[in-house]
Amino acid sequence: KQSGIDPEAEQETFSNGGFEKFIGNAEDTLFGWRVNRSDGRVDIAPDPSVKKEGSRSLKIAFKTFNKRDFYNVTQIVTAQPSTRYHLTFWGRADNLKSGGPPFVEILNSADGKVISATQPFGTGSYDWQQVTVDFTTPEDSEGFGIRTSRVYCGDARPITVSLWYDDFRWTKQ
């Protein structure tokens, strides 16, 4: 808040967890959704036509994306060190085809190391499913980051899918 970049940011809270507010450029936020739209094989945008709650969700459309790493949807959240948390959000997929499906990673904001991760999303098409993961922040942590990643299965195995996220929340355990 003090920087003036994210005036609505709150301690220990997702910013715009339901994607109801505008999502700007990645360099325009510290604690909001950072969406990198630089790869033409991935479209990322709010979607008012498909949503779990509220008036929209976030749609990620992979069009034969075959890179090993995908870190184009991220957010950093302040948190207490050595504390157990429970993360929930909703996901939906349309025609997920890949030997390397996407999943969500939780990272220590102090050093970028992975703390925990969700299970990879299932192949095929399915309506909204709640995704959960429990994790404990390291003792040197002042927060954590979340990001979409994918299981690496070789450059010759692209991913094709429309994937939606909605309603990111977390609680202390």
Side-chain angles (χ1 to χ4, degrees):
K1 275 185 172 180
Q2 293 170 342
S3 71
I5 294 174
D6 292 313
E8 295 182 18
E10 296 288 335
Q11 290 277 2
E12 299 186 286
T13 303
F14 273 108
S15 292
N16 198 13
F19 306 100
E20 299 301 314
K21 297 178 184 163
F22 175 74
I23 299 172
N25 296 321
E27 60 273 2
D28 294 338
T29 185
L30 298 173
F31 296 102
W33 288 108
R34 297 178 60 89
V35 176
N36 181 338
R37 297 175 175 96
S38 63
D39 192 315
R41 293 173 292 172
V42 181
D43 290 330
I44 305 169
D47 187 347
S49 64
V50 177
K51 65 254 184 204
K52 173 66 178 154
E53 291 185 10
S55 61
R56 60 189 192 168
S57 64
L58 184 71
K59 181 181 180 181
I60 307 169
F62 293 91
K63 300 176 286 187
T64 62
F65 181 83
N66 64 349
K67 292 182 181 176
R68 176 185 180 119
D69 296 323
F70 176 78
Y71 306 138
N72 292 24
V73 179
T74 63
Q75 186 171 142
I76 296 173
V77 181
T78 61
Q80 299 298 315
S82 303
T83 303
R84 186 144 178 87
Y85 292 101
H86 178 74
L87 169 68
T88 64
F89 64 95
W90 292 85
R92 181 178 193 256
D94 184 28
N95 203 23
L96 173 56
K97 296 179 192 175
S98 179
F103 62 98
V104 173
E105 290 180 314
I106 295 108
L107 312 149
N108 181 5
S109 64
D111 59 15
K113 291 182 180 175
V114 176
I115 299 170
S116 190
T118 67
Q119 292 295 314
F121 292 97
T123 59
S125 297
Y126 45 88
D127 204 0
W128 293 105
Q129 295 180 358
Q130 190 173 42
V131 180
T132 65
V133 63
D134 294 319
F135 62 96
T136 301
T137 53
E139 61 184 46
D140 68 340
S141 182
E142 293 181 354
F144 63 91
I146 60 168
R147 69 181 178 197
T148 300
S149 192
R150 69 177 289 225
V151 175
Y152 181 65
C153 60
D155 291 338
R157 309 216 48 204
I159 181 172
T160 303
V161 65
S162 289
L163 178 68
W164 289 265
Y165 289 147
D166 205 356
D167 201 26
F168 275 82
R169 298 175 191 222
W170 60 287
T171 56
K172 285 183 187 179
Q173 295 292 296

